[in-house]
Amino acid sequence: MTSCAPGICSGDIDRQLASGSFRLAFPPALERAFERETADERTRMFVICGSLAIILYDITLITDYLVLSDRFTEMVVARLGIFTPALILMMVAASRFRHVHVRESLAASGGILAVSLPMTIQIFSQSSDRLIYQYGSLLVIMFSSIIQRLRFAYAALSLTVMITIQLVTTALAGIFTPETFVTNAVFFVIGGILLLLAAYFLERSERRSFLFNLRSRLLHDQLMQIARIDALTGLYNRRHLEESADALWHRAAAAPQVVTAILLDVDRFKAFNDAYGHTEGDACLRRISTIVAEAAQGRSGLAFRYGGEEMLVLLPGWDPHEARALAEDIRRALRAAAIPHPALGPERIVTASFGVAGVVAPDAPLSALIEAADTALYAAKRAGRDCIWPPSGAAVVDEAPRLAAAAV
């Protein structure tokens, strides 16, 4: 059996896990679910990492003063006047526009800006110590790839741009001989490749964890759904009736409303079972339950197998007279199905009797509603079966619980 969510089935997840694909992309429905699941957390992490980056980046003014003292003023402007406010604006934008491309583009831009500012300024420095200054760029590159964990495509783009800036600015600064420049370039390129591999495996791991978690939730939902469904009829069972009623009555505590129930019982079903056996009896109940379920779902109602051949339709907020009209629709649909019941005689068909009742929740409990509907059902049986009780125009809502409460 396959458990399905909107646009996603557990079978799709199993195929994705078994495929062994190295692509960091899911089919469209899974990709949308992945972004929905991770968007808030990744935005939050961008803000946290951005705040940490501002602190660490501005602390390195100490090294600017020690290593690039002749350009210290420019470095203060770059770090405190450009990078810090720019990254704050990026974090605000990422928090407001929670789209993957916006967030990842801003995060990548922050890293590029962090490298470009100091490396551009150091071109114009005459400090003899600026050779060691370039390695601050490596810290930024590592932070973007491993701590900030950019999506792989954005990590690849930002790494390429940052390393290019690093190599171009050091070349313009003239601090290397041709041989040492090549050595330095190889060092940064290999480091970039290793960091890119780390970014790839981090995202791959995140995506696989998402698939495992999603599959677990879908399987849990499937088991919960099975626990709520009657195996024979496919209608909801008594357990789910109690759960639904608890939730409904809890909401009604803040806003009282009429809750109506239709309780139906298949007429002379024992005679049908005795004549044709339980296999045919089960098939008969399944056909009837399909009629009831379709009628209930079309009107936002909940259909339950209440017991044996009894079925219940719960209609929150319904006018009881409208509920009676729905019961009439079900009765007519059952007659139109013309399920033969030869045990009662030639040309006889399966019919049902209906009891309709309503109470005001939360003043009256579910048990009072069921009792009232059951009383009405047996009145329909006594009235000749294949009918609905109360008759059209009669009062259906039991106001007694509300009146009693008011009297107290």
Side-chain angles (χ1 to χ4, degrees), residues 150-348:
L150 290 170
R151 291 279 185 252
F152 178 75
Y154 293 90
L157 177 61
S158 65
L159 277 169
T160 301
V161 173
M162 286 189 286
I163 291 175
T164 300
I165 291 171
Q166 168 71 23
L167 297 179
V168 169
T169 54
T170 53
L172 292 174
I175 58 178
F176 289 112
T177 65
E179 294 79 12
T180 55
F181 177 80
V182 171
T183 301
N184 187 68
V186 170
F187 172 80
F188 270 91
V189 170
I190 291 176
I193 292 172
L194 293 176
L195 289 172
L196 198 56
L197 286 172
Y200 172 84
F201 286 113
L202 284 171
E203 182 173 344
R204 180 175 170 82
S205 177
E206 181 184 6
R207 285 176 174 271
R208 289 183 68 82
S209 294
F210 162 76
L211 291 176
F212 282 117
N213 290 335
L214 181 59
R215 184 174 65 174
S216 295
R217 292 200 304 272
L218 288 176
L219 291 175
H220 176 267
D221 291 345
Q222 177 189 15
L223 292 174
M224 291 300 294
Q225 186 69 3
I226 291 173
R228 296 185 182 113
I229 298 296
D230 175 67
L232 174 62
T233 64
L235 300 179
Y236 289 121
N237 57 23
R238 291 281 289 271
R239 172 183 174 177
H240 189 50
L241 172 61
E242 293 172 1
E243 293 174 350
S244 300
D246 286 344
L248 177 59
W249 259 253
H250 179 74
R251 292 193 300 271
Q257 65 173 335
V258 172
V259 181
T260 307
I262 302 170
L263 186 63
L264 66 98
D265 182 79
V266 182
D267 294 328
R268 296 187 173 92
F269 187 70
K270 184 177 184 302
F272 188 100
N273 258 344
D274 290 344
Y276 307 112
H278 290 287
T279 300
E280 287 298 320
D282 290 347
C284 176
L285 285 180
R286 281 193 289 269
R287 290 188 64 185
I288 296 171
S289 66
T290 299
I291 294 170
V292 174
E294 289 176 352
Q297 290 169 2
R299 312 289 182 85
S300 301
L302 296 172
F304 305 87
R305 185 184 185 190
Y306 191 68
E309 60 271 21
E310 286 188 326
M311 300 175 194
L312 175 75
V313 179
L314 198 63
L315 301 164
W318 269 57
D319 178 275
H321 300 291
E322 292 176 339
R324 191 188 187 286
L326 175 59
E328 181 62 26
D329 290 344
I330 297 173
R331 190 187 72 84
R332 290 176 179 174
L334 180 55
R335 289 193 63 84
I339 303 171
H341 198 329
L344 301 182
E347 307 300 324
R348 297 294 295 275

Side-chain angles (χ1 to χ4, degrees), residues 28-276:
L30 268 176
E31 190 67 28
R32 288 192 296 271
F34 175 64
E35 290 303 334
R36 282 196 305 270
E37 290 261 337
T38 58
D40 289 344
E41 177 62 19
R42 286 193 62 81
T43 300
R44 188 176 71 88
M45 287 305 299
F46 175 45
V47 173
I48 293 173
C49 289
S51 302
L52 179 61
I54 289 173
I55 295 170
L56 296 177
Y57 195 73
D58 291 344
I59 285 175
T60 54
L61 280 170
I62 298 172
T63 62
D64 295 335
Y65 179 76
L66 296 174
V67 177
L68 296 182
S69 58
D70 60 333
R71 295 295 173 181
F72 182 67
T73 301
E74 290 93 329
M75 293 304 295
V76 171
V77 172
R79 293 186 188 277
L80 301 181
I82 298 176
F83 178 79
T84 297
L87 196 57
I88 290 173
L89 289 175
M90 290 178 187
M91 290 188 290
V92 171
S95 298
R96 292 192 61 183
F97 305 102
R98 298 189 173 218
H99 190 279
V100 56
H101 298 306
V102 173
R103 181 189 66 241
E104 299 297 322
S105 296
L106 290 171
S109 299
I112 293 170
L113 183 63
V115 169
S116 62
L117 289 173
M119 291 307 298
T120 300
I121 293 172
Q122 65 90 31
I123 294 174
F124 305 98
S125 174
Q126 300 302 315
S127 172
S128 59
D129 297 323
R130 57 191 172 139
L131 177 65
I132 65 171
Y133 190 76
Q134 61 170 321
Y135 298 109
S137 300
L138 184 58
L139 296 178
V140 175
I141 294 170
M142 292 174 62
F143 186 91
S144 297
S145 303
I146 299 176
I147 306 300
Q148 201 164 43
R149 298 178 66 169
L150 290 170
R151 291 279 185 252
F152 178 75
Y154 293 90
L157 177 61
S158 65
L159 277 169
T160 301
V161 173
M162 286 189 286
I163 291 175
T164 300
I165 291 171
Q166 168 71 23
L167 297 179
V168 169
T169 54
T170 53
L172 292 174
I175 58 178
F176 289 112
T177 65
E179 294 79 12
T180 55
F181 177 80
V182 171
T183 301
N184 187 68
V186 170
F187 172 80
F188 270 91
V189 170
I190 291 176
I193 292 172
L194 293 176
L195 289 172
L196 198 56
L197 286 172
Y200 172 84
F201 286 113
L202 284 171
E203 182 173 344
R204 180 175 170 82
S205 177
E206 181 184 6
R207 285 176 174 271
R208 289 183 68 82
S209 294
F210 162 76
L211 291 176
F212 282 117
N213 290 335
L214 181 59
R215 184 174 65 174
S216 295
R217 292 200 304 272
L218 288 176
L219 291 175
H220 176 267
D221 291 345
Q222 177 189 15
L223 292 174
M224 291 300 294
Q225 186 69 3
I226 291 173
R228 296 185 182 113
I229 298 296
D230 175 67
L232 174 62
T233 64
L235 300 179
Y236 289 121
N237 57 23
R238 291 281 289 271
R239 172 183 174 177
H240 189 50
L241 172 61
E242 293 172 1
E243 293 174 350
S244 300
D246 286 344
L248 177 59
W249 259 253
H250 179 74
R251 292 193 300 271
Q257 65 173 335
V258 172
V259 181
T260 307
I262 302 170
L263 186 63
L264 66 98
D265 182 79
V266 182
D267 294 328
R268 296 187 173 92
F269 187 70
K270 184 177 184 302
F272 188 100
N273 258 344
D274 290 344
Y276 307 112

